[in-house]
Amino acid sequence: MKKIFVITLMIVLTTLSFTSTSTSENFVLSIVPQHPQGLFVEFTSIGFSFGNSEISTQPLFDVIGAFNLKLRYYPTNWIVINNETYLWDPFFINKAYLGESIDPNYQMYILLNMTHLHSNFFISPVVVRPFVQTGLVSVFNPGSEYVTVLVGRGFLSAGILATENIEIFSTIEGGMLINVWQSANTPDDWESIVNEARQKSLYATARAGFIWYYDRY
């Protein structure tokens, strides 16, 4: 971990050592901008934009039983809070299209929730892009059996413009398993098992490179 931190620090400092006269207007935001107020329809989604928020769904996923809802909140043009939830019935196609009846003992559902906070900050001549995300996956049946896993990840990126269409960046990223819950009786050393899983899942990476903006979108 110390070596990764030192290497990452060197990469970030090297990136920041470049000189540039870029301003916030020169950078391409890494945030999809909010839709105009009112109803919007895209190739895979339909939604409604109001105030600083959006609510949308992807009907194509509903067809296969992955009922979904996305909420996005824009405190400013450079910050977005995104919450996306999917509830998937693996037997939906069998029940809805094939007319099969599923034994309640075998019925199960999968709940997936992903929430992230992403922003772009401008400290001339640098753009800083922090990103933090949590992911929750739960498998359960209509009874009381369930397994739920919570993970987290995040990155911090810094970049400068070498030319109008080329951005040089460096990034440090990390993540880990946060917790596991289940309905079954757990062994006496369950906490030790989870702690070991946390340690083995912990990762940190550093990378550097450049982005070529072939257009300004």
Side-chain angles (χ1 to χ4, degrees):
M1 293 297 292
K2 291 183 178 179
K3 291 182 178 179
I4 293 176
F5 176 78
V6 172
I7 294 173
T8 301
L9 183 60
M10 291 177 62
I11 293 174
V12 173
L13 290 177
T14 300
T15 300
L16 296 181
S17 67
F18 284 93
T19 60
S20 173
T21 58
S22 59
T23 64
S24 61
E25 290 77 15
N26 298 122
F27 286 100
V28 176
L29 291 179
S30 59
I31 295 175
V32 176
Q34 184 177 356
H35 289 86
Q37 301 293 304
L39 181 70
F40 62 86
V41 179
E42 298 178 328
F43 181 70
T44 61
S45 65
I46 181 172
F48 191 81
S49 178
F50 58 97
N52 292 337
S53 304
E54 288 184 357
I55 181 171
S56 63
T57 186
Q58 299 183 74
L60 292 178
F61 283 131
D62 296 338
V63 173
I64 61 173
F67 307 103
N68 61 94
L69 187 68
K70 178 190 289 188
L71 301 172
R72 291 173 70 84
Y73 176 64
Y74 294 83
T76 73
N77 292 333
W78 304 302
I79 302 175
V80 62
I81 300 172
N82 186 94
N83 182 279
E84 198 164 355
T85 301
Y86 292 83
L87 177 61
W88 180 40
D89 178 358
F91 300 109
F92 180 79
I93 293 178
N94 301 69
K95 294 185 294 185
Y97 305 121
L98 303 180
E100 298 180 5
S101 59
I102 304 300
D103 187 333
N105 294 322
Y106 293 100
Q107 178 64 63
M108 60 179 292
Y109 299 95
I110 299 175
L111 177 68
L112 171 63
N113 177 270
M114 295 177 292
T115 301
H116 73 250
L117 168 65
H118 183 45
S119 62
N120 289 201
F121 292 112
F122 304 97
I123 309 173
S124 185
V126 180
V127 59
V128 181
R129 298 186 174 104
F131 178 95
V132 179
Q133 180 184 54
T134 60
L136 183 145
V137 181
S138 183
V139 181
F140 62 96
N141 64 15
S144 59
E145 296 181 345
Y146 65 88
V147 176
T148 301
V149 178
L150 179 64
V151 298
R153 62 179 287 263
F155 68 76
L156 181 64
S157 176
I160 62 106
L161 288 175
T163 69
E164 181 181 358
N165 292 319
I166 296 180
E167 178 183 328
I168 300 174
F169 75 90
S170 60
T171 301
I172 179 172
E173 178 181 334
M176 66 176 295
L177 169 72
I178 297 177
N179 208 351
V180 179
W181 300 272
Q182 63 169 329
S183 57
N185 293 328
T186 58
D188 294 337
D189 59 345
W190 174 249
E191 190 61 33
S192 299
I193 294 174
V194 174
N195 285 333
E196 182 178 358
R198 290 192 186 104
Q199 295 175 6
K200 290 184 176 181
S201 67
L202 179 64
Y203 78 92
T205 62
R207 59 185 181 274
F210 70 91
I211 303 170
W212 172 46
Y213 298 110
Y214 60 92
D215 60 34
R216 301 304 296 169
Y217 174 70

